[in-house]
């Protein structure tokens, strides 16, 4: 499906990030563990330049663990420091702090040699919409002191948050990029809910999702939706509508409702651990 979604607010958010990144020592880039390739904004490389980077494969609790491991190795082989996370779990401050300290080792040592001690590392948290940036940041807030408030160069919406004496985090809005190089990237982003559903042909998306389940996780169809021996994806959708009792007033099947329902089931993890890409 040919999808592109780059609303105006993302252009201004990108511009703001370009400014803010100058204030940061490191970027914590959140990827969705179910699509660690498609959720990686290629434009981030331009934005980040030669700043240090930690990659978080977030929502790892919803992804296929064997595939997540492959992705971790894939990005590590490219020289990145990679963590896998379920950001809803609190008390992961140490894990993230350690990762940031490791990638910023040279800077910390340079500061120390100049007699600068205890200067917190400034880390920008970046990622596509819905990847879990707020959840990631909120998971630290229990331990954090108050927000450090607006600072020069940081405009409204971007907040500095002190998570420990060692690190301040900068929250940023989720951004995508102007044109997806491959149609599948847009489709994958739509599957996980990072593209506004209002611009998407939901029936086509649901059918493509069922195609993927048939080829890769056919047990989900039999175990979750009780579908056996049906090959055509649209017919599967009709069966799901029947089984879920998605019917309109006159008794006609409500296919749109079934589409939303199956995608919601996936997005909320009800279908189990599913990854949509392999490196
Ligand atoms: P964003 O700031 O990057 O846009 O994402 P946000 O934190 O708002 O998270 C989007 C949704 O993803 C939220 O669910 C959040 O709970 C969920 N989420 C974030 N991180 C993880 C994770 O590591 N694992 C799982 N399973 N879910 C995660 P929601 O349904 O939109 O909101 P809510 O009802 O949970 O509040």
């Amino acid at each position: 499906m040919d999808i592109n979604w780059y609303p105006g607010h993302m252009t201004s958010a990108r511009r703001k990030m370009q400014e803010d990144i100058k204030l940061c020592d490191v970027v914590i880039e959140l990827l969705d563990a179910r699509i660690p390739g498609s959720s990686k904004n290629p434009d981030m490389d331009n934005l980040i330049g030669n700043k240090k980077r930690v990659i978080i494969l977030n929502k790892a609790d919803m992804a296929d663990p064997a595939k997540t491991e492959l992705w971790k190795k894939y990005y590590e082989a490219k020289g990145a420091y990679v963590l896998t996370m379920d950001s809803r779990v609190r008390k992961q401050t140490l894990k993230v702090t350690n990762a940031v300290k490791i990638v910023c080792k040279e800077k910390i040592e340079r500061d120390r040699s100049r007699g600068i001690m205890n200067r917190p590392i400034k880390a920008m948290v970046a990622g596509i919409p819905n990847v879990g940036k707020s959840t990631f940041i909120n998971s630290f807030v229990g331990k954090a002191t108050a927000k450090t408030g607006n600072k020069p160069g940081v405009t409204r919406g971007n907040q500095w948050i002190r998570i420990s004496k060692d690190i301040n985090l900068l929250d940023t809005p989720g951004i995508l990029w102007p044109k997806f190089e491959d149609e599948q990237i847009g489709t994958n982003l739509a599957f996980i809910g990072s593209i506004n559903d209002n611009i998407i042909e939901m029936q086509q998306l649901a059918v493509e999702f069922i195609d993927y389940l048939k080829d890769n996780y056919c047990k989900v169809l039999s175990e979750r939706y009780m579908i056996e021996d049906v090959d055509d994806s649209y017919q599967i959708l009709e069966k799901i509508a029947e089984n879920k009792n998605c019917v309109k007033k006159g008794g006609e099947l409500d296919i749109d409702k079934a589409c939303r329902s199956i995608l919601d089931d996936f997005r909320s993890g009800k279908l189990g651990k599913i990854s949509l890409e392999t490196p």
Side-chain angles (χ1 to χ4, degrees):
M1 198 186 316
D2 192 13
I3 302 169
N4 278 294
W5 187 52
Y6 193 61
H9 71 264
M10 289 189 192
T11 318
S12 38
R14 186 196 183 279
R15 214 174 294 129
K16 189 141 61 77
M17 280 173 76
Q18 206 166 14
E19 284 304 307
D20 291 345
I21 215 151
K22 295 177 193 155
L23 309 169
C24 297
D25 306 301
V26 55
V27 175
I28 300 178
E29 189 179 13
L30 267 70
L31 306 182
D32 190 303
R34 297 164 298 174
I35 51 164
S38 299
S39 58
K40 189 159 195 333
N41 184 344
D43 191 26
M44 281 306 288
D45 292 341
N46 299 324
L47 274 169
I48 292 177
N50 53 9
K51 295 272 176 192
K52 301 289 178 193
R53 163 164 30 193
V54 172
I55 288 182
I56 310 264
L57 297 178
N58 196 39
K59 307 199 184 185
D61 55 295
M62 292 205 272
D64 192 326
K67 291 198 178 165
T68 303
E69 203 41 45
L70 291 177
W71 278 107
K72 186 166 183 281
K73 292 206 172 97
Y74 171 84
Y75 282 123
E76 281 171 349
K78 287 179 174 278
Y81 194 100
V82 186
L83 293 175
T84 58
M85 276 182 86
D86 171 355
S87 283
R88 295 164 313 161
V89 176
R90 287 181 176 257
K91 302 204 172 115
Q92 299 185 92
T93 312
L94 202 59
K95 180 169 152 181
V96 176
T97 305
N98 282 345
V100 166
K101 279 184 177 170
I102 289 168
V103 301
C104 293
K105 194 164 164 264
E106 282 171 18
K107 181 209 152 23
I108 294 168
E109 276 166 11
R110 206 169 48 241
D111 278 358
R112 203 169 284 157
S113 70
R114 290 177 184 156
I116 305 166
M117 311 293 259
N118 304 326
R119 181 155 77 185
I121 294 165
K122 296 193 270 320
M124 173 181 276
V125 178
I128 59 166
N130 211 31
V131 72
K133 295 176 298 301
S134 315
T135 311
F136 173 80
I137 290 171
N138 286 338
S139 72
F140 303 111
V141 170
K143 268 200 102 183
T145 53
K147 287 171 185 164
T148 54
N150 285 338
K151 294 209 166 162
V154 181
T155 50
R156 221 185 60 204
N158 288 25
Q159 287 274 7
W160 281 102
I161 297 146
R162 166 165 287 223
I163 68 161
S164 71
K165 68 175 175 34
D166 299 318
I167 303 188
N168 286 345
L169 291 183
L170 178 63
D171 188 12
T172 65
I175 58 165
L176 292 165
W177 53 106
K179 176 125 190 73
F180 304 133
E181 318 73 72
D182 178 337
E183 279 191 17
Q184 192 58 47
I185 293 177
T187 307
N188 286 342
L189 290 166
F191 284 150
I192 64 161
S194 287
I195 302 230
N196 187 340
D197 280 341
N198 294 334
I199 67 137
I200 291 166
E201 200 354 302
M202 291 300 271
Q203 275 194 25
Q204 195 182 340
L205 189 69
V207 165
E208 288 191 29
F209 183 64
I210 292 169
D211 285 341
Y212 183 80
L213 289 181
K214 266 185 352 195
D215 292 343
N216 298 278
Y217 296 92
C218 57
K219 270 194 162 178
V220 170
L221 292 171
S222 54
E223 288 173 5
R224 169 90 197 175
Y225 297 117
M226 279 81 71
I227 309 280
E228 308 269 6
D229 305 324
V230 187
D231 190 48
D232 179 75
S233 294
Y234 190 79
Q235 279 177 11
I236 292 177
L237 195 49
E238 287 179 328
K239 279 262 170 225
I240 292 173
E242 268 171 44
N243 296 353
K244 284 191 163 231
N245 204 21
C246 300
V247 278
K248 293 182 186 165
K249 267 192 184 142
E252 187 194 342
L253 285 178
D254 191 341
I255 299 295
D256 287 340
K257 192 171 172 193
C259 292
R260 279 193 305 278
S261 175
I262 183 169
L263 289 166
D264 283 350
D265 284 351
F266 166 65
R267 290 169 181 175
S268 61
K270 285 192 189 128
L271 302 184
K273 294 177 188 293
I274 292 179
S275 293
L276 303 175
E277 293 182 312
T278 312

